[in-house]
């Protein structure tokens, strides 16, 4: 007699990092299954997810569930648990949402568009005025 225990694993690292606004698919694979589970429960921060975009596919001895998150935001950050029906196994990951980099324009647009020779002339005049103040 051989006892087969299902093994549940979410693919990827235990800590996932994703940029806000991007799409994400979390893949949960259950191996060593004799009968295909009717469904896979996804849990987010201890609460069961309902009406989620997920799909279930199976092969000879494994079942895969994909949880799809569209346009991830800061509210999606937290712990995700995959729990196939009819098994005692589960796996979890922690999702970290990163804000995309923000590019700031530091120079006033007028200065950025001006001719460089005008800029050099303005600096030269400023230096001359300051030096003449100290000579008196």
């Amino acid at each position: 007699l051989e006892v087969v225990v299902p093994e549940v694993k979410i693919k990827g690292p235990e800590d996932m990092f994703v940029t806000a606004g991007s799409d994400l698919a979390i893949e949960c694979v259950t191996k060593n299954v004799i009968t295909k589970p009717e469904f896979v429960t996804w849990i987010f921060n201890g609460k069961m997810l309902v009406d989620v975009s997920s799909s279930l596919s199976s092969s000879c001895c494994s079942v895969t569930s994909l949880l799809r998150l569209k346009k991830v935001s800061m509210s999606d950050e937290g712990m995700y648990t995959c729990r196939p029906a009819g098994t005692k196994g589960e796996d979890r990951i922690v999702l970290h949402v990163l804000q995309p980099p923000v590019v700031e324009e530091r120079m006033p647009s007028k200065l950025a568009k001006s001719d460089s020779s005008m800029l050099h002339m303005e600096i030269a005049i400023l230096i001359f005025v300051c030096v003449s103040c100290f000579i008196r």
Side-chain angles (χ1 to χ4, degrees):
L1 177 69
E2 184 179 337
V3 177
V4 178
V5 179
E7 178 187 331
V8 182
K9 179 72 179 132
I10 293 178
K11 287 190 172 182
E14 290 180 15
D15 286 280
M16 285 187 170
F17 295 86
V18 65
T19 304
S22 58
D23 296 341
L24 175 67
I26 303 173
E27 185 175 355
C28 177
V29 178
T30 307
K31 294 180 181 177
N32 302 328
V33 292
I34 296 170
T35 58
K36 176 183 172 183
E38 291 182 34
F39 58 90
V40 172
T41 302
W42 284 94
I43 300 163
F44 171 60
N45 289 336
K47 295 181 181 177
M48 186 171 68
L49 295 174
V50 254
D51 294 331
V52 294
S53 177
S54 67
S55 60
L56 197 61
S57 61
S58 62
S59 63
C60 162
C61 305
S62 69
V63 173
T64 301
S65 175
L66 281 176
L67 175 66
R68 290 182 175 83
L69 302 174
K70 301 275 185 190
K71 296 186 181 179
V72 173
S73 68
M74 294 304 289
S75 64
D76 295 313
E77 190 170 69
M79 184 178 296
Y80 288 83
T81 304
C82 164
R83 188 179 296 155
T87 69
K88 292 185 180 187
E90 66 178 32
D91 195 20
R92 62 191 64 183
I93 58 106
V94 177
L95 181 65
H96 304 275
V97 179
L98 306 173
Q99 289 297 329
V102 177
V103 179
E104 293 182 20
E105 186 176 328
R106 299 228 175 232
M107 294 178 65
S109 58
K110 202 180 232 185
L111 183 60
K113 294 177 183 173
S114 69
D115 183 43
S116 63
S117 61
M118 282 295 287
L119 180 62
H120 291 296
M121 189 169 74
E122 289 172 7
I123 292 172
I125 292 170
L126 183 60
I127 291 171
F128 174 75
V129 169
C130 289
V131 170
S132 63
C133 292
F134 288 109
I135 294 177
R136 288 185 183 186

